[in-house]
Amino acid sequence: DMKGSIMYLGNRNEETFLKEAKFLAQGRFVATGSDCGHLFIWNKSSGDVVRKIRADAHVVNGLAPHPHLPLIVTCGIDSDVKVLDLGDVEFRPARSAASSGFPRKPLSLSMRSEDKERVVTIEEGEEILAKVGDMRTRGNALFNAKSYADAAAMYKECCGLVNFVPPTEELRELCDGMKVPCLGNLAACKIHLKEWTEAQKICSKVLAIQGSNLKARYRR
């Protein structure tokens, strides 16, 4: 019975017997090889292909993700194995499972969109959280000065920066601990700016992370 199952499509398994499949980033993504020589990475929940990486001249059969760093080792028919660094790419839906020329963008602390997830190392994650802590402090000063639009812009940038895939459970907890107050403060700004729909959406994001958050429940 396949009801309720998610199909991960796009790779080929026609010429060789077996392909390994692995979870990446604490189970957020699924990866496997292909007879076209590419490594395919899907979003586990949606089934969207987020990366298609050339990893062998012929076939990719085996893969082994690093337990902590955004690295993965692949092997196939080539006479060598390859270590691929996933920390320099942005995980986002591709055009289609069969398309080629997938976007490849460097990881950067200047990324703004809160809708994009990135894979980072522990050191990069800690650096991001330290930067966001300083930015949140500046946002609080703007909020207290009743500069709600400027404060909202600062909190929104904070939310974009902390939207990464933490490589460890400890870093995930720290990330959520920073993300919740930033989102909550952004919702408060939207209420002062009378942007009710936006405030409601942001509060829903808070509750998705921390369902018991009383401020988010009240504001929504």
Side-chain angles (χ1 to χ4, degrees), residues 195-210:
E195 298 178 12
W196 315 118
T197 301
E198 284 298 310
Q200 187 178 38
K201 290 179 180 178
I202 295 165
C203 288
S204 294
K205 289 182 179 181
V206 173
L207 294 173
I209 301 170
Q210 191 180 85

PDB file of all heavy atoms in Angstrom, residues 195-210:
ATOM      1  N   GLU A 195      -0.324  45.957  10.277  1.00  0.00           N
ATOM      2  CA  GLU A 195      -0.241  44.937   9.216  1.00  0.00           C
ATOM      3  C   GLU A 195      -0.693  43.613   9.824  1.00  0.00           C
ATOM      4  O   GLU A 195       0.092  42.717  10.122  1.00  0.00           O
ATOM      5  CB  GLU A 195       1.184  44.866   8.663  1.00  0.00           C
ATOM      6  CG  GLU A 195       1.640  46.167   8.011  1.00  0.00           C
ATOM      7  CD  GLU A 195       3.073  46.117   7.514  1.00  0.00           C
ATOM      8  OE1 GLU A 195       3.667  45.018   7.466  1.00  0.00           O
ATOM      9  OE2 GLU A 195       3.619  47.184   7.180  1.00  0.00           O
ATOM     10  N   TRP A 196      -2.014  43.499   9.991  1.00  0.00           N
ATOM     11  CA  TRP A 196      -2.585  42.415  10.779  1.00  0.00           C
ATOM     12  C   TRP A 196      -2.340  41.042  10.164  1.00  0.00           C
ATOM     13  O   TRP A 196      -2.020  40.089  10.888  1.00  0.00           O
ATOM     14  CB  TRP A 196      -4.086  42.645  10.953  1.00  0.00           C
ATOM     15  CG  TRP A 196      -4.467  44.047  11.317  1.00  0.00           C
ATOM     16  CD1 TRP A 196      -5.245  44.903  10.600  1.00  0.00           C
ATOM     17  CD2 TRP A 196      -4.080  44.772  12.496  1.00  0.00           C
ATOM     18  NE1 TRP A 196      -5.383  46.106  11.240  1.00  0.00           N
ATOM     19  CE2 TRP A 196      -4.680  46.062  12.426  1.00  0.00           C
ATOM     20  CE3 TRP A 196      -3.296  44.464  13.610  1.00  0.00           C
ATOM     21  CZ2 TRP A 196      -4.512  47.015  13.398  1.00  0.00           C
ATOM     22  CZ3 TRP A 196      -3.125  45.424  14.587  1.00  0.00           C
ATOM     23  CH2 TRP A 196      -3.724  46.687  14.488  1.00  0.00           C
ATOM     24  N   THR A 197      -2.498  40.921   8.856  1.00  0.00           N
ATOM     25  CA  THR A 197      -2.334  39.620   8.203  1.00  0.00           C
ATOM     26  C   THR A 197      -0.905  39.111   8.341  1.00  0.00           C
ATOM     27  O   THR A 197      -0.672  37.931   8.628  1.00  0.00           O
ATOM     28  CB  THR A 197      -2.708  39.709   6.713  1.00  0.00           C
ATOM     29  OG1 THR A 197      -4.068  40.152   6.598  1.00  0.00           O
ATOM     30  CG2 THR A 197      -2.565  38.356   6.033  1.00  0.00           C
ATOM     31  N   GLU A 198       0.055  40.017   8.154  1.00  0.00           N
ATOM     32  CA  GLU A 198       1.460  39.626   8.293  1.00  0.00           C
ATOM     33  C   GLU A 198       1.754  39.200   9.727  1.00  0.00           C
ATOM     34  O   GLU A 198       2.471  38.219   9.961  1.00  0.00           O
ATOM     35  CB  GLU A 198       2.372  40.787   7.892  1.00  0.00           C
ATOM     36  CG  GLU A 198       2.478  41.000   6.400  1.00  0.00           C
ATOM     37  CD  GLU A 198       3.076  39.793   5.706  1.00  0.00           C
ATOM     38  OE1 GLU A 198       4.134  39.308   6.145  1.00  0.00           O
ATOM     39  OE2 GLU A 198       2.464  39.307   4.740  1.00  0.00           O
ATOM     40  N   ALA A 199       1.204  39.939  10.684  1.00  0.00           N
ATOM     41  CA  ALA A 199       1.426  39.602  12.089  1.00  0.00           C
ATOM     42  C   ALA A 199       0.887  38.206  12.398  1.00  0.00           C
ATOM     43  O   ALA A 199       1.522  37.414  13.102  1.00  0.00           O
ATOM     44  CB  ALA A 199       0.754  40.633  12.987  1.00  0.00           C
ATOM     45  N   GLN A 200      -0.285  37.892  11.853  1.00  0.00           N
ATOM     46  CA  GLN A 200      -0.884  36.577  12.083  1.00  0.00           C
ATOM     47  C   GLN A 200      -0.024  35.455  11.490  1.00  0.00           C
ATOM     48  O   GLN A 200       0.192  34.417  12.124  1.00  0.00           O
ATOM     49  CB  GLN A 200      -2.280  36.535  11.473  1.00  0.00           C
ATOM     50  CG  GLN A 200      -3.062  35.272  11.801  1.00  0.00           C
ATOM     51  CD  GLN A 200      -4.463  35.306  11.222  1.00  0.00           C
ATOM     52  OE1 GLN A 200      -4.673  35.794  10.119  1.00  0.00           O
ATOM     53  NE2 GLN A 200      -5.422  34.799  11.967  1.00  0.00           N
ATOM     54  N   LYS A 201       0.497  35.674  10.285  1.00  0.00           N
ATOM     55  CA  LYS A 201       1.345  34.663   9.646  1.00  0.00           C
ATOM     56  C   LYS A 201       2.619  34.418  10.449  1.00  0.00           C
ATOM     57  O   LYS A 201       3.064  33.276  10.611  1.00  0.00           O
ATOM     58  CB  LYS A 201       1.701  35.102   8.225  1.00  0.00           C
ATOM     59  CG  LYS A 201       0.536  35.077   7.238  1.00  0.00           C
ATOM     60  CD  LYS A 201       0.995  35.555   5.870  1.00  0.00           C
ATOM     61  CE  LYS A 201      -0.151  35.552   4.870  1.00  0.00           C
ATOM     62  NZ  LYS A 201       0.293  36.064   3.540  1.00  0.00           N
ATOM     63  N   ILE A 202       3.199  35.494  10.943  1.00  0.00           N
ATOM     64  CA  ILE A 202       4.444  35.368  11.706  1.00  0.00           C
ATOM     65  C   ILE A 202       4.200  34.641  13.019  1.00  0.00           C
ATOM     66  O   ILE A 202       4.998  33.795  13.434  1.00  0.00           O
ATOM     67  CB  ILE A 202       5.059  36.762  11.943  1.00  0.00           C
ATOM     68  CG1 ILE A 202       5.477  37.384  10.605  1.00  0.00           C
ATOM     69  CG2 ILE A 202       6.253  36.676  12.886  1.00  0.00           C
ATOM     70  CD1 ILE A 202       5.761  38.873  10.685  1.00  0.00           C
ATOM     71  N   CYS A 203       3.088  34.943  13.669  1.00  0.00           N
ATOM     72  CA  CYS A 203       2.751  34.242  14.911  1.00  0.00           C
ATOM     73  C   CYS A 203       2.557  32.748  14.665  1.00  0.00           C
ATOM     74  O   CYS A 203       2.915  31.912  15.503  1.00  0.00           O
ATOM     75  CB  CYS A 203       1.497  34.843  15.535  1.00  0.00           C
ATOM     76  SG  CYS A 203       1.763  36.476  16.262  1.00  0.00           S
ATOM     77  N   SER A 204       2.009  32.402  13.514  1.00  0.00           N
ATOM     78  CA  SER A 204       1.844  30.988  13.170  1.00  0.00           C
ATOM     79  C   SER A 204       3.205  30.303  13.031  1.00  0.00           C
ATOM     80  O   SER A 204       3.365  29.133  13.404  1.00  0.00           O
ATOM     81  CB  SER A 204       1.048  30.850  11.869  1.00  0.00           C
ATOM     82  OG  SER A 204      -0.282  31.312  12.037  1.00  0.00           O
ATOM     83  N   LYS A 205       4.189  31.022  12.505  1.00  0.00           N
ATOM     84  CA  LYS A 205       5.542  30.471  12.400  1.00  0.00           C
ATOM     85  C   LYS A 205       6.135  30.225  13.782  1.00  0.00           C
ATOM     86  O   LYS A 205       6.808  29.212  14.015  1.00  0.00           O
ATOM     87  CB  LYS A 205       6.445  31.425  11.615  1.00  0.00           C
ATOM     88  CG  LYS A 205       6.128  31.508  10.126  1.00  0.00           C
ATOM     89  CD  LYS A 205       7.108  32.428   9.413  1.00  0.00           C
ATOM     90  CE  LYS A 205       6.817  32.497   7.920  1.00  0.00           C
ATOM     91  NZ  LYS A 205       7.788  33.370   7.210  1.00  0.00           N
ATOM     92  N   VAL A 206       5.878  31.157  14.718  1.00  0.00           N
ATOM     93  CA  VAL A 206       6.358  30.976  16.087  1.00  0.00           C
ATOM     94  C   VAL A 206       5.750  29.720  16.695  1.00  0.00           C
ATOM     95  O   VAL A 206       6.444  28.891  17.297  1.00  0.00           O
ATOM     96  CB  VAL A 206       6.030  32.203  16.954  1.00  0.00           C
ATOM     97  CG1 VAL A 206       6.379  31.929  18.417  1.00  0.00           C
ATOM     98  CG2 VAL A 206       6.775  33.430  16.451  1.00  0.00           C
ATOM     99  N   LEU A 207       4.448  29.552  16.524  1.00  0.00           N
ATOM    100  CA  LEU A 207       3.748  28.412  17.116  1.00  0.00           C
ATOM    101  C   LEU A 207       4.153  27.096  16.479  1.00  0.00           C
ATOM    102  O   LEU A 207       4.081  26.041  17.119  1.00  0.00           O
ATOM    103  CB  LEU A 207       2.234  28.623  17.010  1.00  0.00           C
ATOM    104  CG  LEU A 207       1.686  29.793  17.848  1.00  0.00           C
ATOM    105  CD1 LEU A 207       0.221  30.027  17.541  1.00  0.00           C
ATOM    106  CD2 LEU A 207       1.875  29.511  19.332  1.00  0.00           C
ATOM    107  N   ALA A 208       4.588  27.139  15.227  1.00  0.00           N
ATOM    108  CA  ALA A 208       5.074  25.922  14.576  1.00  0.00           C
ATOM    109  C   ALA A 208       6.372  25.445  15.226  1.00  0.00           C
ATOM    110  O   ALA A 208       6.670  24.240  15.227  1.00  0.00           O
ATOM    111  CB  ALA A 208       5.292  26.172  13.089  1.00  0.00           C
ATOM    112  N   ILE A 209       7.134  26.383  15.784  1.00  0.00           N
ATOM    113  CA  ILE A 209       8.382  26.045  16.464  1.00  0.00           C
ATOM    114  C   ILE A 209       8.134  25.766  17.940  1.00  0.00           C
ATOM    115  O   ILE A 209       8.669  24.820  18.511  1.00  0.00           O
ATOM    116  CB  ILE A 209       9.400  27.196  16.326  1.00  0.00           C
ATOM    117  CG1 ILE A 209       9.696  27.479  14.850  1.00  0.00           C
ATOM    118  CG2 ILE A 209      10.698  26.881  17.073  1.00  0.00           C
ATOM    119  CD1 ILE A 209      10.494  28.751  14.625  1.00  0.00           C
ATOM    120  N   GLN A 210       7.287  26.598  18.542  1.00  0.00           N
ATOM    121  CA  GLN A 210       7.040  26.538  19.987  1.00  0.00           C
ATOM    122  C   GLN A 210       5.543  26.703  20.223  1.00  0.00           C
ATOM    123  O   GLN A 210       5.042  27.813  20.402  1.00  0.00           O
ATOM    124  CB  GLN A 210       7.845  27.637  20.693  1.00  0.00           C
ATOM    125  CG  GLN A 210       7.903  27.548  22.188  1.00  0.00           C
ATOM    126  CD  GLN A 210       8.731  28.682  22.770  1.00  0.00           C
ATOM    127  OE1 GLN A 210       8.229  29.784  22.993  1.00  0.00           O
ATOM    128  NE2 GLN A 210      10.001  28.433  23.011  1.00  0.00           N
TER     129      GLN A 210
END
